[in-house]
């Protein structure tokens, strides 16, 4: 028998309430329960960055955070940033420089790059590498 917990959080500006299994990770909650497929589960160890999201304004790896811990939290996903055109220029830059590669980790890379540019509008190559790592 698995324990379930009621949580209410704000995801991309919308308040959502669900009953979630205590051990369900945020990335799985977003994909399976809310149908937000932009971020991906990759390594499931927090290393690859494919599951990168914003939680209460901070970049996190969605595979390392339990959804049951997020009652009252604010979550932003790539869908939220894309739908309101917040990262349109960044997306265009990725396309222009063929930075998408296979595309699997691109949403996480865009989330991370947008986070860096929010605090440093002109980062050096070393600062970019450090922030993405």
């Amino acid at each position: 028998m698995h324990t379930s917990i009621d949580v209410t959080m704000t995801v991309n500006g919308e308040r959502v309430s669900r009953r979630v299994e205590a051990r369900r990770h945020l990335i799985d909650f977003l994909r399976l329960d809310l149908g937000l497929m932009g971020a991906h589960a990759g390594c499931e160890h927090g290393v690859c960055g494919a599951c990168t999201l914003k939680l209460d304004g901070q970049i996190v790896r969605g595979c390392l955070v339990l959804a049951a811990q997020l009652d009252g939290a604010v979550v932003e996903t790539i869908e939220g940033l894309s739908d309101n055109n917040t990262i349109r220029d960044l997306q265009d830059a990725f396309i222009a420089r063929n930075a998408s590669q296979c595309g699997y980790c691109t949403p996480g890379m865009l989330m991370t790059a947008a986070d860096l540019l929010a605090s440093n509008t002109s980062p050096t190559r070393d600062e970019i590498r450090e922030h993405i790592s």
Side-chain angles (χ1 to χ4, degrees):
M1 182 164 130
H2 300 288
T3 303
S4 293
I5 297 170
D6 292 321
V7 294
T8 298
M9 64 184 82
T10 303
V11 179
N12 297 330
E14 287 187 41
R15 186 177 161 109
V16 296
S17 296
R18 297 286 191 282
R19 186 159 191 79
V20 297
E21 193 174 318
R23 63 184 184 169
R24 178 159 284 191
H25 291 100
L26 175 57
I27 189 66
D28 296 324
F29 172 74
L30 293 169
R31 291 179 63 81
L32 302 173
D33 295 310
L34 301 184
L36 296 170
M37 303 300 220
H40 299 103
C43 68
E44 297 185 10
H45 296 284
V47 177
C48 74
C51 63
T52 301
L53 309 156
K54 268 195 157 180
L55 173 60
D56 293 330
Q58 300 295 310
I59 288 291
V60 298
R61 302 295 192 242
C63 70
L64 299 178
V65 177
L66 296 175
Q69 298 173 305
L70 302 182
D71 195 50
V74 175
V75 177
E76 293 175 82
T77 70
I78 192 68
E79 290 90 347
L81 294 182
S82 295
D83 289 350
N84 67 19
N85 286 324
T86 301
I87 59 168
R88 180 81 241 150
D89 291 344
L90 192 53
Q91 289 170 313
D92 290 343
F94 268 54
I95 292 166
R97 289 166 182 79
N98 199 27
S100 296
Q101 300 173 28
C102 77
Y104 195 78
C105 68
T106 302
M109 296 295 273
L110 285 165
M111 293 288 294
T112 304
D115 182 64
L116 172 61
L117 293 173
S119 62
N120 182 351
T121 58
S122 188
T124 65
R125 288 177 90 69
D126 286 340
E127 290 170 327
I128 293 168
R129 284 187 186 108
E130 176 64 26
H131 197 80
I132 288 176
S133 72

